[in-house]
Amino acid sequence: MSDIVRSEGQHSTYAGLTVDIAEDSLDRVTKLLAGINGGIYKAVGGALTRAAAAGKTAAKQPVTREYSISQSEFLSQTRNINHFVRDTGGGLSVVFGFRGNVIPLIKFNTRVNNSGQVVTQVKRSGAAATMDRAFTAQMGGHRGVYERLGVKRFPVEELYGPATPQMMYSNEDVMDEIEDKMAETYEKRIDHEILRVLNGWGR
């Protein structure tokens, strides 16, 4: 049950997974593209987009083997972080990785049994949990799993499973594989993106 959370603050709550881009790599791009307005952002941004796609591909199979969501759901619930930060001295750094809100519990292996009880399994290795106070319902165009907070019909709260970055963090080997794949893809791609900017491709 520790993988299940209530709806409070879910729209603004997210977990982030970030990967460092080497400072010397950013310095090299900055020097090469110093004379081109916005060039560094285009080159680094393009390389990071490819790195993010590679990271998601590396993550989706091991994560969906551990958690009872589909690969397509994992991909749709995982968004990129890509922020450039310039400090007071003019230095540039990048915050890069993934973010995601907690995922509705109904997206996991959740069903209603013959007794009308909600049964859910967030982790494939864990036992399915039977939830006496929960029910499924369509509310505001969205179908979800809800739980009453008292003996009356209302109020209720929707139930959620973890966010995708939390799933990634749960397995250190998966984390290492994701980070290595993203770093490798970025380094392979950045020279091509620099060349694109220098030659004016894609303008």
Side-chain angles (χ1 to χ4, degrees):
M1 294 291 287
S2 60
D3 289 311
I4 300 173
V5 297
R6 288 186 168 82
S7 60
E8 183 177 359
Q10 69 89 15
H11 293 297
S12 59
T13 300
Y14 66 88
L17 178 160
T18 58
V19 175
D20 292 331
I21 300 302
E23 186 176 343
D24 56 351
S25 176
L26 280 174
D27 287 344
R28 181 172 71 91
V29 180
T30 302
K31 290 174 182 176
L32 287 170
L33 302 178
I36 300 175
N37 185 33
I40 182 174
Y41 301 103
K42 291 178 182 178
V44 173
L48 291 179
T49 296
R50 293 299 185 97
K56 286 183 183 181
T57 299
K60 68 180 182 181
Q61 289 186 343
V63 167
T64 56
R65 280 198 301 267
E66 184 175 359
Y67 289 87
S68 62
I69 62 168
S70 67
Q71 292 186 9
S72 61
E73 190 69 35
F74 169 80
L75 293 174
S76 69
Q77 294 281 355
T78 307
R79 297 184 298 284
N80 298 353
I81 300 170
N82 188 348
H83 300 313
F84 292 86
V85 181
R86 191 173 293 278
D87 61 34
T88 54
L92 189 68
S93 61
V94 175
V95 177
F96 169 65
F98 302 113
R99 62 180 282 174
N101 290 325
V102 289
I103 301 171
L105 190 60
I106 203 163
K107 298 293 187 180
F108 293 84
N109 182 18
T110 301
R111 61 183 176 84
V112 178
N113 66 17
N114 293 334
S115 300
Q117 297 169 305
V118 173
V119 180
T120 188
Q121 183 186 38
V122 175
K123 282 190 173 182
R124 297 187 190 277
S125 61
T130 301
M131 309 178 70
D132 294 331
R133 296 169 60 85
F135 61 95
T136 62
Q138 188 90 14
M139 294 192 185
H142 165 70
R143 187 165 184 81
V145 178
Y146 299 86
E147 189 173 58
R148 292 184 176 89
L149 301 183
V151 295
K152 296 182 179 180
R153 291 186 63 190
F154 295 99
V156 299
E157 285 186 333
E158 186 171 0
L159 300 179
Y160 294 81
T164 54
Q166 292 171 317
M167 299 180 204
M168 297 180 204
Y169 271 124
S170 71
N171 188 316
E172 188 173 337
D173 291 337
V174 172
M175 279 292 302
D176 290 342
E177 183 180 350
I178 296 168
E179 291 176 350
D180 290 346
K181 188 63 177 178
M182 288 197 293
E184 176 189 350
T185 303
Y186 174 84
E187 292 301 329
K188 285 181 176 179
R189 189 68 190 180
I190 189 60
D191 287 337
H192 177 78
E193 296 297 333
I194 290 170
L195 189 60
R196 280 175 59 88
V197 173
L198 289 173
N199 289 332
W201 301 340
R203 289 184 184 175

